[in-house]
Amino acid sequence: MSFKHIISRDNPVFKQLKKFADNARERRAEGKTLLDGVHLIESYIDTFGEPDLIIIPEGKSSVEATGLIQALADIPTIMLPTLMFAELTPVTNATGILALVKIPQLPVPEKPAFALMLEDIQDPGNIGSMLRTAAASGVDVVYLSTSCTDAWSPKALRGGQGAQFVLPIVERVDLIKALQAFDGNSYATAMQGDSLYMQDLSQPTAFVIGNEGAGLRHQTMAAATKRITIPMATTALGSVESLNAGAAAAVCLFERMRQASLK
Amino acid sequence: MSFKHIISRDNPVFKQLKKFADNARERRAEGKTLLDGVHLIESYIDTFGEPDLIIIPEGKSSVEATGLIQALADIPTIMLPTLMFAELTPVTNATGILALVKIPQLPVPEKPAFALMLEDIQDPGNIGSMLRTAAASGVDVVYLSTSCTDAWSPKALRGGQGAQFVLPIVERVDLIKALQAFDGNSYATAMQGDSLYMQDLSQPTAFVIGNEGAGLRHQTMAAATKRITIPMATTALGSVESLNAGAAAAVCLFERMRQASLK
């Protein structure tokens, strides 16, 4: 295997990679992102083919990473000093391999049967884990509001564990328009609303979930068919005020899975 | 209001606070932890009374924090340079107030009706959000295995959003013994098992959830009454392998809430 060894932060390839790691606008403009670790890279290759570039750190790689690096020996590869490599990865114990890939464009269904709409979610790890939950529950399209963090950052990809490769995601969406266009029942989660458990989710269904600090905007909530709430317990010792957005999404999305599984 | 101004990292009070921020053993040995932010501190005071010490940064505090600082003017207070203050908080945009408090000991029910057992969860934010979900779903005791990260770290408290103040938590538990002692049905989440949705959860119920990388240990799984699985979807484009531990906990715990809400 041959590779190019880059040791300067001023190297234009490294500078470009750093932009892909840090900057949503750059990822969007170029349609590329960085995948971190063997599992994600293998998932990508299975469906979309070879990465554009492999990036490895100096020194020993893990057994897993070494196997993958050898299998991808034909792909252009660069090696970076450990500290420079670390600047490109979201995790402290880096897995020893990164890949630069084209962001895939999955076909968006014309008439989605099960949609998730997310408003203003700021944390990349949260977006990632909600996408993972959505894929597991059979959602067929996710809409992210313009104010959401992007789905293709290294941290969101890590949280998604491959969800981004099987789930069509539409970013920078006006959720009010998306709700108006949705052909089915849309449910906005709120502190006050009908119980989730009383809803018949057998028709085309969309769940709309807001930023957990502020909740959904009023206009977004008004554009949904219905406000619903997840019943919560109060114990002798008190109660918490709400679920976090990821837990609320899991409970709502899997209620539809439950109803479908009984048929 | 008067306060002590500490500007040296060698100051013994600061060194002790840093231990509380960073070190589970120290928190356990002294029975104290640090609360970060107005919301958590107010929740604590509502139930358990005054903190032992208030810590504030130099410079301007938020309006919320300023109000609380004034309300707590009788409590010993120290002021730290911004950078030293930041060393004590888990968040980058610190809220401008910390409190040193005694870790509360909530009464553990003798015969729990609804328990959550967590094995080997490493991420403090994950533990926090699972505790929050547990409190919201009416769990009356949580058992954490010896290999779990502790529930009283600043990050876990932040994730819990007050759950630790209303939910009895037993740490450093041998889960196999806890399962053997549990008087009811215990359900271990697994890749292969009976559907969650086919279970009658009207009896005393415990859910056992493992580290998401490795899943539950075999011996722990064997000690539970039953293995269950959350049904997952496969789309035309593929599937994800699993839910993350927090989402799996939310789906399981709220299935019991759902069944109870129909009665």
Side-chain angles (χ1 to χ4, degrees):
Chain A
M1 193 186 71
S2 74
F3 50 79
K4 192 170 174 195
H5 200 162
I6 293 178
I7 57 169
S8 163
R9 280 194 171 73
D10 292 330
N11 178 289
V13 174
F14 178 75
K15 284 164 81 174
Q16 182 60 44
L17 291 172
K18 189 106 178 65
K19 283 188 191 166
F20 286 132
D22 296 339
N23 189 321
R25 195 169 303 165
E26 190 72 14
R27 288 190 288 270
R28 204 155 47 229
E30 301 293 323
K32 293 186 182 182
T33 191
L34 288 172
L35 304 181
D36 180 10
V38 171
H39 174 74
L40 270 183
I41 297 171
E42 286 183 341
S43 297
Y44 181 93
I45 292 170
D46 283 350
T47 314
F48 306 106
E50 293 192 342
D52 293 357
L53 182 70
I54 297 294
I55 303 111
I56 56 176
E58 289 173 359
K60 265 197 173 172
S61 294
S62 68
V63 176
E64 263 191 312
T66 305
L68 183 58
I69 293 163
Q70 286 170 354
L72 300 178
D74 291 344
I75 297 175
T77 299
I78 64 172
M79 180 179 274
L80 298 175
T82 318
L83 287 176
M84 285 170 65
F85 184 85
E87 286 181 39
L88 302 180
T89 75
V91 275
T92 43
N93 51 347
T95 49
I97 181 166
L98 288 165
L100 179 68
V101 300
K102 293 179 188 66
I103 292 175
Q105 301 289 337
L106 300 182
V108 175
E110 257 184 69
K111 292 206 168 227
F114 193 16
L116 175 65
M117 304 189 186
L118 298 176
E119 185 176 77
D120 204 10
I121 304 290
Q122 292 301 301
D123 183 85
N126 278 352
I127 281 274
S129 66
M130 283 192 266
L131 293 172
R132 184 175 170 188
T133 303
S137 68
V139 162
D140 55 17
V141 62
V142 175
Y143 300 97
L144 304 183
S145 73
T146 306
S147 46
C148 270
T149 185
D150 79 308
W152 297 97
S153 67
K155 275 188 187 170
L157 284 158
R158 194 174 175 76
Q161 290 283 311
Q164 282 90 336
F165 306 152
V166 300
L167 182 59
I169 299 163
V170 190
E171 295 189 282
R172 302 171 70 75
V173 170
D174 180 332
L175 290 188
I176 293 173
K177 286 184 186 165
L179 282 164
Q180 288 163 348
F182 185 74
D183 189 7
N185 299 318
S186 53
Y187 300 94
T189 52
M191 298 296 280
Q192 307 272 333
D194 290 347
S195 167
L196 165 69
Y197 301 127
M198 303 309 287
Q199 310 309 315
D200 173 0
L201 305 176
S202 61
Q203 299 304 307
T205 297
F207 285 108
V208 201
I209 293 189
N211 168 282
E212 67 178 299
L216 282 171
R217 292 165 205 251
H218 285 293
Q219 305 94 306
T220 312
M221 208 177 278
T225 320
K226 203 164 192 179
R227 292 183 194 198
I228 55 159
T229 193
I230 299 169
M232 298 212 295
T234 302
T235 71
L237 299 165
S239 61
V240 290
E241 282 173 20
S242 62
L243 288 170
N244 74 29
V251 173
C252 290
L253 295 174
F254 272 87
E255 173 58 11
R256 188 167 194 267
M257 168 62 86
R258 186 193 68 79
Q259 292 187 14
S261 78
L262 299 181
K263 285 190 179 151
Chain B
M1 190 185 75
S2 74
F3 50 78
K4 193 171 171 192
H5 200 161
I6 294 178
I7 57 167
S8 162
R9 282 194 169 72
D10 292 330
N11 178 289
V13 174
F14 178 76
K15 284 164 81 175
Q16 182 61 42
L17 290 173
K18 189 106 178 67
K19 284 187 189 167
F20 286 131
D22 295 340
N23 189 323
R25 194 168 303 165
E26 190 73 14
R27 288 190 289 270
R28 203 155 47 229
E30 301 293 323
K32 293 187 182 182
T33 192
L34 288 171
L35 303 182
D36 180 10
V38 170
H39 174 74
L40 271 183
I41 296 171
E42 286 183 341
S43 298
Y44 181 93
I45 292 170
D46 282 350
T47 314
F48 307 107
E50 293 192 341
D52 294 357
L53 181 71
I54 297 294
I55 305 110
I56 56 176
E58 289 173 359
K60 265 198 174 174
S61 295
S62 68
V63 176
E64 264 191 312
T66 305
L68 183 59
I69 293 163
Q70 285 170 353
L72 300 178
D74 291 344
I75 298 175
T77 299
I78 63 173
M79 179 179 275
L80 298 174
T82 318
L83 286 176
M84 285 170 67
F85 184 85
E87 286 181 39
L88 303 180
T89 75
V91 274
T92 43
N93 52 345
T95 48
I97 182 166
L98 289 165
L100 178 68
V101 300
K102 292 179 189 66
I103 293 176
Q105 301 290 337
L106 301 183
V108 175
E110 258 185 66
K111 291 206 169 225
F114 193 16
L116 174 65
M117 305 189 185
L118 297 176
E119 185 175 77
D120 204 8
I121 304 290
Q122 292 301 300
D123 183 83
N126 278 351
I127 281 275
S129 66
M130 284 193 266
L131 293 172
R132 184 175 170 188
T133 303
S137 68
V139 162
D140 55 18
V141 61
V142 176
Y143 300 97
L144 303 183
S145 73
T146 307
S147 46
C148 270
T149 186
D150 79 308
W152 297 97
S153 66
K155 275 188 187 172
L157 283 158
R158 193 172 175 79
Q161 291 282 311
Q164 283 91 335
F165 306 152
V166 299
L167 182 61
I169 300 162
V170 190
E171 294 190 284
R172 302 170 68 77
V173 170
D174 180 332
L175 290 188
I176 293 174
K177 286 185 186 162
L179 281 164
Q180 288 163 348
F182 185 75
D183 190 7
N185 298 318
S186 53
Y187 299 95
T189 52
M191 298 297 280
Q192 306 273 332
D194 290 347
S195 167
L196 165 69
Y197 301 127
M198 303 308 287
Q199 310 309 315
D200 173 359
L201 304 176
S202 60
Q203 300 304 306
T205 298
F207 286 108
V208 201
I209 293 187
N211 169 283
E212 67 178 300
L216 281 171
R217 292 165 205 250
H218 285 294
Q219 305 95 305
T220 311
M221 208 178 279
T225 320
K226 204 164 191 178
R227 292 182 193 197
I228 55 160
T229 193
I230 299 168
M232 298 214 294
T234 303
T235 72
L237 299 164
S239 61
V240 291
E241 283 174 20
S242 62
L243 288 170
N244 74 29
V251 173
C252 290
L253 296 174
F254 273 87
E255 173 58 11
R256 188 166 193 268
M257 169 62 87
R258 186 194 68 80
Q259 292 187 14
S261 79
L262 298 180
K263 284 189 181 150

